[in-house]
Amino acid sequence: MAVPVAVLDCDLLLYGRGHRTLDRFKLEDVTDEYLVSTYGFPRQFIYYLVDLLGASLSRPTQRSRAISPETQILAALGFYTSGSFQTRMGDAIGISQASMSRCVANVTEALVERAPQFIHFPEDEAAVQSLKDDFYGLAGMPGVLGVVDCTHVAIKAPNAEDLSYVNRKGLHSLNCLMVCDARGVLLNAETHWPGSLPDCTVLQQAALTSQFESELRKDGWLLGDSSFFLQTWLMTPLHFPETPAEYRYNMAHSATHNVIERTFRTIRSRFRCLDGSKGTLQYSPEKSSHIILACCVLHNISLEHGLDVWSSPATGHLEQPEEDYEQMESMDSEACRIRQELLLTHFS
């Protein structure tokens, strides 16, 4: 039986023979401008990723070892930042669309493995205090350890029977819960929640809630918008402010919480595979969740390398259903007491 030439070519690219690697593309042969325009990042950042992920991408057990780690990383960055396999970088690095898909899977897995290394809350006392100081400098809101919100990323329909990923706008999506600091660095990212779940339910079931309730952080709190319930560790805005202190509190809360909206916009502009401009992520919910998390890891690494979180203009649009804010008022008397004490102490 004849085997199609395209399949043979793909197999050679993916599996190779012995330890052969593909070296059709050299980073040193092109300019930084070309790398940024085609792959979204400059040379030194790409070199860092090669050092960071090289061992994982060169494992003898991996089927794609014929493709060098450098080439795999370029292929993945090209997809993350463009949202498409149909780009000129496929020809530039000399691999097929099928091989690029395998590279994206390998790099995504390697980045997800390192998520705890790059996405976490600070632990030492000095770093926690610095976190609160940075937030206080934004709008005078004290004790803030992070701002939290959810955003939806469109995915293909898993199957006709599964309605759990259909959001309130009738689209299939993942509802992603994230927390960031005052610079836009992600401190927490849970990217696997089905789009049908409202934000408050996602937070109730999230590992983030278990973390804050078990540790019972009394030295600060997160800020969340009106789609969440007020908690002792989560300050939300007042629905019907009446006094000057309440208005000042709401204004400081809004100005501080806006950081995560700006962070969402920046992530979408950097990683066009998430912004919907090239269509939905054409993967299962699990694989789509991993791609989103991989982009979150890259977002934080880029900030470590001085690639300013606010430098990119907003592009594209992520579908994000509006929440029923009127039903989110808390009945937690202790949480209400803490918010009232905050109002009296800092905004009266």
Side-chain angles (χ1 to χ4, degrees):
M1 178 179 177
V3 180
V5 173
V7 174
L8 289 173
D9 181 62
C10 180
D11 285 345
L12 285 172
L13 286 169
L14 284 174
Y15 313 133
R17 301 189 186 282
H19 295 275
R20 180 177 61 87
T21 60
L22 297 174
D23 295 314
R24 302 184 185 183
F25 183 89
K26 298 292 186 183
L27 280 175
E28 57 269 22
D29 293 339
V30 296
T31 65
D32 254 7
E33 290 75 13
Y34 173 82
L35 291 172
V36 171
S37 65
T38 308
Y39 305 101
F41 294 96
R43 187 186 324 275
Q44 291 305 315
F45 182 87
I46 296 171
Y47 281 144
Y48 174 82
L49 291 182
V50 172
D51 290 339
L52 178 69
L53 307 178
S56 297
L57 300 176
S58 300
R59 290 171 183 164
T61 56
Q62 284 196 333
R63 297 164 62 186
S64 63
R65 71 179 184 183
I67 302 179
S68 68
E70 180 180 290
T71 300
Q72 292 185 63
I73 289 168
L74 289 172
L77 291 179
F79 170 71
Y80 297 147
T81 59
S82 73
S84 174
F85 291 123
Q86 304 291 342
T87 65
R88 56 177 174 155
M89 49 90 177
D91 292 334
I93 58 181
I95 64 174
S96 67
Q97 180 176 334
S99 297
M100 284 185 59
S101 180
R102 174 60 62 182
C103 292
V104 170
N106 289 343
V107 174
T108 297
E109 179 183 351
L111 287 168
V112 167
E113 288 176 356
R114 288 159 178 79
Q117 176 183 346
F118 293 99
I119 303 176
H120 57 82
F121 283 91
E123 296 182 357
D124 66 274
E125 186 175 338
V128 171
Q129 185 59 50
S130 178
L131 186 66
K132 292 191 286 188
D133 290 344
D134 288 345
F135 274 118
Y136 187 80
L138 293 179
M141 180 69 77
V144 180
L145 299 171
V147 289
V148 59
D149 207 350
C150 289
T151 189
H152 285 252
V153 175
I155 62 172
K156 73 173 184 178
N159 57 62
E161 291 75 30
D162 191 349
L163 300 180
S164 65
Y165 293 92
V166 179
N167 62 39
R168 293 179 60 186
K169 293 190 175 181
L171 303 173
H172 291 83
S173 67
L174 290 168
N175 195 1
C176 305
L177 177 74
M178 300 185 193
V179 180
C180 75
D181 70 9
R183 295 193 304 122
V185 175
L186 295 175
L187 307 174
N188 177 269
E190 299 185 32
T191 59
H192 62 282
W193 297 102
S196 66
L197 294 180
D199 293 359
C200 62
T201 303
V202 169
L203 183 60
Q204 287 171 351
Q205 299 179 9
L208 177 69
T209 293
S210 299
Q211 177 184 356
F212 269 78
E213 289 184 345
S214 63
E215 294 181 4
L216 198 62
R217 293 178 183 245
K218 296 182 179 180
D219 58 342
W221 39 71
L222 301 179
L223 294 189
D225 64 20
S226 297
S227 63
F228 301 114
F229 289 108
L230 180 70
Q231 309 271 359
T232 56
W233 49 269
L234 177 67
M235 294 293 102
T236 60
L238 291 137
H239 290 290
F240 305 107
E242 296 177 351
T243 67
E246 291 175 345
Y247 277 103
R248 284 193 289 269
Y249 166 85
N250 271 12
M251 290 178 62
H253 188 292
S254 177
T256 307
H257 188 266
N258 186 54
V259 172
I260 195 154
E261 298 299 334
R262 296 169 68 188
T263 300
F264 286 157
R265 290 196 297 270
T266 298
I267 292 173
R268 292 197 294 268
S269 70
R270 276 184 173 157
F271 305 108
R272 302 296 297 277
C273 67
L274 307 181
D275 76 352
S277 64
K278 301 292 178 133
T280 62
L281 282 174
Q282 296 298 301
Y283 296 91
S284 68
E286 181 181 8
K287 290 184 178 179
S288 295
S289 170
H290 286 178
I291 288 173
I292 300 166
L293 185 55
C295 290
C296 291
V297 173
L298 287 173
H299 168 78
N300 276 9
I301 296 175
S302 70
L303 294 186
E304 285 189 5
H305 284 72
L307 302 178
D308 190 357
V309 69
W310 315 129
S311 62
S312 302
T315 58
H317 176 68
L318 272 180
E319 294 293 342
Q320 187 165 351
E322 296 180 358
E323 299 294 341
D324 191 2
Y325 289 173
E326 294 78 13
Q327 299 180 5
M328 296 299 106
E329 191 58 87
S330 175
M331 300 303 292
D332 186 330
S333 59
E334 178 63 12
C336 292
R337 185 196 66 77
I338 290 174
R339 186 169 65 180
Q340 188 62 28
E341 182 178 332
L342 179 60
L343 280 163
L344 294 173
T345 305
H346 294 279
F347 295 99
S348 295

